[in-house]
Every structure is written in C-alpha cells, then in structure tokens.
Amino acid sequence: MKSRRILIAGGVLVLAVVLQTSLFARIRPFDVAPALVVVVIIGYARLLQAEVALLLGFGAGLLQDLLAVSPLGLWALVMAAVAYVVVRLRARLEEDVGVTAPFVFVVTFGALALFTVLGTIFGEKTLADAGVVKKLVLPAVYNVVLSLGILPFTAWSIGMSRRPGSQFRI
Amino acid sequence: MWRPGNFDRSTSLFIGLIVLSLVLVTIDLRAAGGGVGATMREGAQTVFAPVQRVVAATTRPVAQFFEGLSDVFSLQSDNRRLRARIAELERDIERTQSLELRVRQFEALLGLETPGELETVAAEVLAVGPSEFDHIRVISKGRNHGVGVDMPVIDEGGLVGRVVGVTATTAQVRLISDPTMRVAVRVERTGETGWLTGRGGGPMVLEMLNTDAAVIEGDLLVTADGRFPPGIEVARVIRAARSEVGFSLRTEAVPEASLTTIDFVLVLVFTRDGPGVAGTEDESRIPAVVPDDTGERTSGEFEEAPPTTTTTTTTTPGDTTP
C-alpha cells in the first residue's frame, strides 16, 4: 500500500512536470504560468511520510532541472526545501484549514524567490530579470487558485484524507 | 551542546539532500555543459519529447480556446494594423527587388562571391522551460534533421534565439530575451554596431559601441556579422537616445519575433565554424568598449564582438527571413 502511494505520487509529479512544460506554455494569463509542481509537492508533503515527501520533492526538482538550462541541482534543492517546510508545518495546517491559502502563497513565493537568488549566485542572472516581481507574485496567486482543486486531488489519488495518527480531519 | 543526534531523521535527510544538490550544481558547473549532466539531460529530454508532443497536441484545443478569448478583443485593431503593414511590406518588396539587382551588379563588378541562401529546418515548438526563469523553447527537430548547437532560430518576425542543446529528435532554443544572451546588432539606418542584451521579457537593452551616433525611435536592428548570419531582423528601437560625452549610449528595443507566442520556427543551418568565416574570433574584433560582464560562467552565450567600424555587408535583411 505504501509503495503504491509513492508510485502514484511520483507519477502525478512527473505528469505535473510535463503539464508545466507543455500545457502551461500556452495557458499563461498575463504572460506568467502557475508553478504547478510546487503545489503538487505541497499536496503530497502534507500527507506522506516525511522522508518520502523529501525524496519526492528532490526527485521532482531534479527532473525539472533536467528539462531546464539552469545548473543541475538548483530546482532539486528548492523543491526539497518546499517539501521540508510543508513537513515541518503540516500539523499547524491541520489545526487551521483557513491558513492553507496564505500558506500556499507564501511557500510558492518563497520557493521561486529562493530559486532566483540561487540562480543569480550560480550565474543565471535571474534577479536581473525585468519582470522578477511579477514572476514571483503571479505564480503564487495562481497556485492558491489551483490548490483548491489540486490539494483534494492529491489526497484522493493516494486514498488519504489525513495523516496516520493525526487528530484532525483535513 | 550541538550533537548530530539532535536532528530528527527528516532534518538529517534534508541537510543531506541540500549537500547533494550543491555537489550536483558544482559538478554541472565545472562540466560547463558537458559530462554526466549533459548525458542525463539528453536522456530526460529524449524520454520526455514524445510525451510532450502528445500532451501539446491534445491540450492544443484547450489552449487555443483561452488564446481565442484573449484575441477577440484585439482582432479589429490587429486587422487594421496588419493591412497597413501589408501595404508597407509590398512597397518594401519592390524597393528590395531593385536593390538586390543593383547589389548583384556591384558584386559582379567587384568580383565578390554572392552569399548563398541558407538551408532552413522548420520546427514546431513542443514545450517551454519548467519555470518563468528558463527562457527556453523545446522544438520538434533535432540532430537527425540537421539541427546543431549554436544555430540561429527565427520566426516570421525575426531572430528568436539560438540552439543550446540538441537530442536526436528535439532541440533546446535559448531565447534572445534571456538575460544571459547578448546579440551583436547593427542599426540598419546608420550601420552603427552595438549589443542587445535580454532582460527576461519586455524590451531589451541596446548598448551602442559608437556613443556619438544617435539612434531614433523605430530604428530597425539587424544581426551584425557576429555569431549569427548578418542581416536577420532582431528588434526595433522604442526610445530615441543620444549620449552625453563620456557616457555609453543605452536605450531599449522590442524584439521583432513574437517570443511569447511562438508556435513554429525556422532553424538556420549555419554555424561560425565554417571555413568561410575563419578569423571572426580574432582579438582585433573586440570592441573598444569592453562588455561589463565578461568572464561569467555563461560566457559561451555571448557572441564575439562585432566590428567597431560600420559593417558593409552585402546581405539584405530579408535574405534569411522566411
């Protein structure tokens, strides 16, 4: 059962990377696309075992790295950080469902900001991008909207509505 | 006191993953586009290309619906603008034809070799980069179709970018709007040369080598005789600029190619390795104004400097555009 969940989560993350690079090449309101992979990682990291969530985040980031031109490992680091933050704060999220939307916003914004800083350090000139603020804020806003569908979907896909041992229902 | 045992398992794993990421980044940077990273990238792109092809084809109707919605509002003004543009282009074609004839006559008189037509490969855009900060496009033609690294890519407007990675069936194109891209350009009206630098989107920065020659709004910038074949339309100046003594001449220009909505592109089968262009990397061609960002990791993205003097190329801008 556990390995089946990991396989499903892995498959959905791969699909998210594919959609991010193909579907969202065309659906780009105000010329910016959502950061789909980030919101899917948030969805699974809420429910899966901490170590599994971290490895899935790292793996999805690595896959994203392989399809990008930035140095290999940058997205892996960022996505692992996203998974870690969610794992650390998920108990708090369960206590107050109302904070989910601001949480998704802050985590997406933080992940993209971390990538731009790391990208600049490693020579990608990401902070020199003219629309950097727009490219950090709009995906975070879109992710909040997407999370309304994606967070329940991730829970449904692995047949878990709450973490084992959790006192609260999501 | 700190002890390794103070961390729980997930924190230890997280630290391990950070270290692993930094090791990967270091290895990839040191390999400078080659090594294990390049092999893994090629493998991943080869596996993903068919999936992206299918997803791009199946999601096209959905995407077109959204594109159609946004287009409805601009149809009328687009129509008017395009009619005016057609009239303008028809006049240009007539003028170009007579100019071409004269150029050929002069070439014959001077005994110059006429630059041959460049071979092109048409390709469809399959995918984009995974984030807003990856200014790349994945196209549907690769090594098997004659596409190679460094080849210029154009659309109906002008220069789109440069091939930076290639697999058997796909290629990665880095857009000219990428902040790490610099293109050597020539102002078509005056022949003065300069650099065009990407800013990640929107207008690009134009920096002229000769700070005394002013540029005016509407000036067309074409590729200079650098890494790309000369005469390809690149951008149009949107703000006139005149420099003050001792300062560099900087202004902004909008790319002629529609970088955000490109669907089909042409790859020009052209590289600077050909025997006819030997010596273009010569140090004498380095401009008096040394670019301020030399010595970066991605120095390979920069073209060799264009000549500081006025270029007298015989290629007309329309030669390489479809």
Side-chain angles (χ1 to χ4, degrees):
Chain A
M1 189 64 186
K2 192 178 155 193
S3 57
R4 201 175 129 254
R5 282 179 178 154
I6 296 170
L7 277 177
I8 291 171
V12 173
L13 276 167
V14 172
L15 184 68
V17 175
V18 173
L19 288 176
Q20 178 78 56
T21 55
S22 49
L23 179 66
F24 288 121
R26 291 166 159 275
I27 303 176
R28 304 168 58 81
F30 304 103
D31 201 26
V32 176
L36 183 65
V37 183
V38 175
V39 75
V40 176
I41 290 173
I42 294 174
Y44 285 120
R46 281 185 323 152
L47 302 167
L48 292 171
Q49 196 192 333
E51 289 81 4
V52 173
L54 281 171
L55 289 172
L56 275 175
F58 183 81
L62 199 58
L63 187 60
Q64 202 158 308
D65 275 324
L66 290 173
L67 299 175
V69 282
S70 48
L72 197 68
L74 276 191
W75 275 116
L77 194 158
V78 171
M79 296 303 186
V82 167
Y84 183 74
V85 170
V86 178
V87 164
R88 283 282 140 200
L89 299 176
R90 58 189 179 184
R92 190 79 54 86
L93 273 181
E94 287 170 2
E95 286 170 26
D96 187 358
V97 183
V99 299
T100 308
F103 180 76
V104 170
F105 181 90
V106 170
V107 170
T108 309
F109 182 88
L112 296 175
L114 178 62
F115 179 80
T116 53
V117 172
L118 290 174
T120 303
I121 291 171
F122 292 108
E124 284 297 308
K125 290 192 176 179
T126 36
L127 276 176
D129 202 302
V132 67
V133 177
K134 185 174 106 174
K135 289 175 179 183
L136 295 182
V137 174
L138 279 185
V141 174
Y142 298 158
N143 270 12
V144 171
V145 179
L146 285 180
S147 68
L148 297 175
I150 287 175
L151 297 191
F153 169 79
T154 48
W156 170 82
S157 69
I158 51 174
M160 291 170 81
S161 60
R162 60 190 178 123
R163 279 188 302 124
S166 168
Q167 303 289 313
F168 303 93
R169 290 197 66 83
I170 295 170
Chain B
M1 198 182 114
W2 179 85
R3 278 178 301 146
N6 287 351
F7 292 123
D8 61 7
R9 272 174 65 194
S10 60
T11 307
S12 309
L13 178 63
F14 178 54
I15 293 168
L17 290 175
I18 288 180
V19 173
L20 181 60
S21 306
L22 292 174
V23 169
L24 280 172
V25 172
T26 312
I27 291 172
D28 198 38
L29 283 176
R30 288 187 69 87
V36 187
T39 316
M40 282 168 70
R41 279 203 167 98
E42 186 171 339
Q45 279 153 22
T46 309
V47 171
F48 265 70
V51 188
Q52 284 171 331
R53 215 178 285 256
V54 171
V55 175
T58 50
T59 56
R60 185 156 293 186
V62 182
Q64 275 172 346
F65 172 73
F66 283 99
E67 281 172 359
L69 274 183
S70 59
D71 285 350
V72 163
F73 304 103
S74 57
L75 269 181
Q76 216 168 12
S77 62
D78 274 358
N79 201 350
R80 263 200 306 275
R81 193 176 50 80
L82 288 172
R83 277 173 197 278
R85 182 81 177 133
I86 286 172
E88 196 181 308
L89 287 175
E90 274 173 356
R91 274 201 312 276
D92 282 356
I93 288 171
E94 280 170 26
R95 204 180 315 149
T96 310
Q97 278 170 345
S98 70
L99 277 173
E100 263 180 16
L101 193 69
R102 286 187 56 149
V103 166
R104 279 203 203 98
Q105 285 168 345
F106 285 134
E107 279 172 353
L109 275 173
L110 294 167
L112 291 175
E113 206 175 308
T114 315
E117 280 283 309
L118 285 173
E119 202 185 315
T120 58
V121 180
E124 186 188 356
V125 175
L126 290 180
V128 296
S131 81
E132 293 305 313
F133 298 99
D134 292 296
H135 305 279
I136 54 166
R137 296 285 182 272
V138 179
I139 59 169
S140 61
K141 297 286 167 69
R143 205 180 293 123
N144 291 350
H145 310 93
V147 176
V149 172
D150 270 356
M151 288 181 182
V153 179
I154 60 172
D155 75 351
E156 66 277 10
L159 187 68
V160 167
R162 189 172 71 81
V163 176
V164 289
V166 64
T167 71
T169 54
T170 60
Q172 267 186 335
V173 179
R174 196 188 277 260
L175 301 180
I176 51 170
S177 56
D178 189 308
T180 61
M181 277 280 273
R182 300 187 92 193
V183 183
V185 290
R186 182 166 56 84
V187 179
E188 207 193 28
R189 184 176 55 85
T190 59
E192 292 293 339
T193 50
W195 291 111
L196 203 54
T197 312
R199 293 171 65 210
M204 299 171 75
V205 175
L206 172 68
E207 202 175 342
M208 297 302 293
L209 298 181
N210 180 359
T211 55
D212 294 332
V215 289
I216 57 170
E217 190 184 331
D219 264 348
L220 180 65
L221 305 172
V222 297
T223 46
D225 200 4
R227 171 178 269 165
F228 298 115
I232 303 175
E233 293 184 13
V234 187
R236 207 171 276 277
V237 175
I238 53 167
R239 204 160 36 80
R242 189 183 289 275
S243 76
E244 288 168 29
V245 179
F247 292 94
S248 66
L249 178 57
R250 272 169 172 256
T251 184
E252 289 180 329
V254 176
E256 285 284 277
S258 48
L259 299 179
T260 50
T261 56
I262 41 181
D263 243 352
F264 292 94
V265 291
L266 281 181
V267 182
L268 303 181
V269 183
F270 171 93
T271 51
R272 272 293 172 203
D273 302 331
V277 289
T280 49
E281 303 278 354
D282 191 48
E283 279 180 16
S284 63
R285 294 170 66 98
I286 290 174
V289 181
V290 180
D292 53 0
D293 44 4
T294 48
E296 296 192 36
R297 179 187 88 87
T298 47
S299 57
E301 300 306 326
F302 304 146
E303 294 190 50
E304 71 273 20
T308 49
T309 53
T310 303
T311 314
T312 52
T313 175
T314 53
T315 313
T316 54
D319 271 1
T320 47
T321 48

